[in-house]
Amino acid sequence: MEEKLFTQIREELVQDILPYWVKYGKDTERGGFFGAISNDNKGDPAEWRGIVMVSRFLWTYSAAARFLKDVSYMDMADWAYSYMTDKFVDRRNGGMFWSVKADGSPLVSRKQIYGNAFALYALSEYAAAIKEIRGDGDTASRVMGEAVDLFGLLEKIARDKEYGGYWEALTEGWQPTKDSKLSDKDIDCDKSMNTNLHVMEAYTNLYRNLPVVFPDKDAQRCELGAALDALVRVHIDKILDKNDWHLNLYFNKDWTQTGSDEISYGHDIEASWLLWEAAEVLADRNLKEFVRPVALAIADVSLKEGWDGSTGGYEDTMEPDGTRRTVRIWWNQAEALNGFYNAWEMTGESRYSDAVEKEWGWIWNYQKDKANGEWFWAVSKDGKASLGELKGGNWKTSYHNARCCMELLRRSGQ
């Protein structure tokens, strides 16, 4: 791949994405972050704030500090951690509230497992950053202990010990609930692909970072590794449809499918590289042999069905009736970069490297907001931005696009 590609990716990360959220994402009056930011970069101080948004900022700036070896990014990570621990931690029942009001009081206090997984993901990265960048072993140990405690809660209460995988949501007191959907776009269900995918992502990060802070916690890491291995297999045996290599979305407790038959191309390509990442981190040869053909089959179908080679953009969904939603959503573009680069690393096939280069061309020319910064939420197939969508907030943060930039730079040695 051309050096210009990686030059642009680094420029986008350092000069656009990371400074954008420091400048426009923080609510300096109330603390935390704006739950909604318009396309002209105005934050809405009245909008609710979610644990997912806060966790994604905490992860991003901790990861940036480590990757770029720049302690200045820790200021944003500290800001996110302070807000998380002050407003979202349930000190009576453990875990994290799903959302708070603008004044910081709880809004939705149930334990959405997706949200708790992102908190775990972020805390493990923050702890590693504190140890590596600041050399503060005591604080790093305390924060990593919080991540480990959260893992323990999920394993004790949120894991389905009969059928495997993790529940969609539980009440504030960690009891069963039928009120479980993540957003208005989702449905109430016992389990979902999206939640289990991000528990796997969080466990992978904790497994990788635990020795950075606790090099002697072998028994704990062994327990974590077993849970991660089981979750990788759940994805392949229960969530993935091997007839078409797409991930099903919603399930009853016994993994019978419920709800929509929609295909989510973004989740497919994201799963392809996250599955391989988990297998590589676990470094189990048998598991890697099990996962490798699956990861590549998902990436192959994603390339053929989800990616538009004529424009370079990656499409959104296919409805059960065969209707394609061709709009280019920001996070789908980021995960397509990760997934196709990963498939190219695994195979050396030029069709994947070509897709990476063309996908980045789409992002650089159309998804990126050259006037106001960052990436547009959505862009049509003909390159027109959907200005009615938010620039940022509870669902759109620095996580997907900063991560894809850091992933490609790290993997390429740039």
Side-chain angles (χ1 to χ4, degrees):
M1 297 185 203
E2 292 185 12
E3 186 176 337
K4 177 184 177 182
L5 169 73
F6 300 105
T7 300
Q8 288 184 342
I9 289 173
R10 181 172 287 273
E11 176 184 327
E12 180 62 14
L13 175 67
V14 175
Q15 297 183 22
D16 184 13
I17 298 170
L18 293 174
Y20 176 90
W21 298 101
V22 174
K23 184 174 183 180
Y24 298 112
K26 294 168 64 176
D27 183 349
T28 56
E29 291 187 16
R30 296 163 186 78
F33 304 91
F34 294 113
I37 303 172
S38 66
N39 273 288
D40 58 357
N41 302 333
K42 299 293 192 300
D44 182 353
E47 186 73 3
W48 63 277
R49 293 101 187 271
I51 185 61
V52 173
M53 173 179 67
V54 177
S55 298
R56 287 174 169 178
F57 283 128
L58 178 56
W59 178 86
T60 298
Y61 288 88
S62 300
R66 296 179 73 193
F67 177 71
L68 297 169
K69 296 179 173 54
D70 187 337
V71 70
S72 68
Y73 293 115
M74 292 298 290
D75 291 342
M76 185 73 156
D78 294 340
W79 180 271
Y81 176 73
S82 176
Y83 192 62
M84 174 188 285
T85 53
D86 186 37
K87 304 301 183 185
F88 287 90
V89 174
D90 182 345
R91 303 194 184 281
R92 181 175 64 179
N93 300 296
M96 303 285 175
F97 299 128
W98 175 242
S99 61
V100 300
K101 300 174 185 176
D103 64 7
S105 60
L107 176 61
V108 177
S109 59
R110 70 171 177 262
K111 299 304 169 0
Q112 203 78 37
I113 307 309
Y114 180 94
N116 279 270
F118 267 104
L120 191 160
Y121 179 66
L123 287 168
S124 65
E125 192 71 22
Y126 183 52
I130 292 169
K131 181 67 177 291
E132 288 182 352
I133 302 301
R134 289 188 172 142
D136 183 350
D138 290 342
T139 303
S141 295
R142 176 176 55 77
V143 174
M144 188 63 82
E146 293 167 359
V148 170
D149 288 346
L150 200 46
F151 163 72
L153 267 176
L154 295 184
E155 289 303 292
K156 180 181 178 181
I157 307 175
R159 184 176 183 175
D160 180 357
K161 296 172 181 62
E162 181 178 3
Y163 293 105
Y166 296 79
W167 303 118
E168 189 67 6
L170 297 165
T171 66
E172 179 180 347
W174 296 92
Q175 297 300 309
T177 179
K178 294 296 184 182
D179 184 12
S180 65
K181 64 183 180 181
L182 276 176
S183 70
D184 292 339
K185 295 180 180 179
D186 296 288
I187 68 169
D188 291 316
C189 61
D190 293 327
K191 300 169 185 173
S192 75
M193 169 277 300
N194 204 9
T195 288
N196 280 272
L197 182 68
H198 290 291
V199 173
M200 182 179 73
E201 169 191 56
Y203 282 13
T204 300
N205 207 48
L206 179 59
Y207 188 87
R208 177 170 47 213
N209 287 327
L210 193 61
V212 175
V213 179
F214 295 140
D216 57 345
K217 298 283 187 179
D218 292 339
Q220 204 162 51
R221 196 162 185 251
C222 185
E223 179 189 358
L224 173 59
L228 179 55
D229 183 290
L231 192 47
V232 169
R233 296 177 189 278
V234 159
H235 278 81
I236 295 174
D237 293 337
K238 305 296 185 183
I239 296 175
L240 180 66
D241 186 339
K242 297 186 187 67
N243 293 313
D244 59 15
W245 301 106
H246 296 297
L247 277 68
N248 293 322
L249 302 184
Y250 306 107
F251 303 90
N252 296 315
K253 67 177 182 179
D254 61 358
W255 294 107
T256 54
Q257 192 177 354
T258 186
S260 174
D261 289 325
E262 175 186 275
I263 292 169
S264 174
Y265 290 117
H267 287 110
D268 284 350
I269 194 61
E270 185 178 25
S272 74
W273 79 270
L274 287 179
L275 281 165
W276 184 242
E277 179 190 50
E280 282 204 302
V281 165
L282 286 170
D284 181 294
R285 192 175 81 176
N286 291 332
L287 182 65
K288 289 175 73 173
E289 289 176 354
F290 178 56
V291 171
R292 180 184 174 86
V294 173
L296 289 175
I298 298 171
D300 176 64
V301 170
S302 294
L303 184 69
K304 292 174 180 176
E305 294 185 15
W307 185 64
D308 178 7
S310 66
T311 64
Y314 194 71
E315 298 183 349
D316 188 23
T317 60
M318 181 180 285
E319 304 299 325
D321 64 1
T323 302
R324 298 179 71 90
R325 189 167 185 262
T326 62
V327 64
R328 283 77 161 111
I329 307 298
W330 95 96
W331 72 267
N332 290 347
Q333 312 316 303
E335 297 308 328
L337 278 180
N338 285 331
F340 294 145
Y341 195 94
N342 183 66
W344 173 71
E345 278 193 327
M346 293 175 72
T347 66
E349 294 180 15
S350 61
R351 61 194 181 117
Y352 291 119
S353 57
D354 290 345
V356 169
E357 291 177 337
K358 290 180 181 177
E359 174 64 55
W360 180 255
W362 169 270
I363 292 168
W364 189 259
N365 291 318
Y366 301 106
Q367 207 80 31
K368 176 178 168 61
D369 183 350
K370 295 180 176 64
N372 292 320
E374 243 285 334
W375 297 8
F376 293 114
W377 181 298
V379 179
S380 67
K381 185 176 181 177
D382 60 1
K384 295 179 181 178
S386 301
L387 298 179
E389 300 282 3
L390 294 171
K391 176 61 68 66
N394 282 307
W395 293 106
K396 185 176 182 294
T397 70
S398 54
Y399 152 76
H400 283 287
N401 52 1
R403 180 172 70 171
C404 79
C405 291
M406 286 188 277
E407 275 292 316
L408 267 64
L409 291 170
R410 178 183 62 80
R411 290 170 182 244
S412 66
Q414 302 289 321

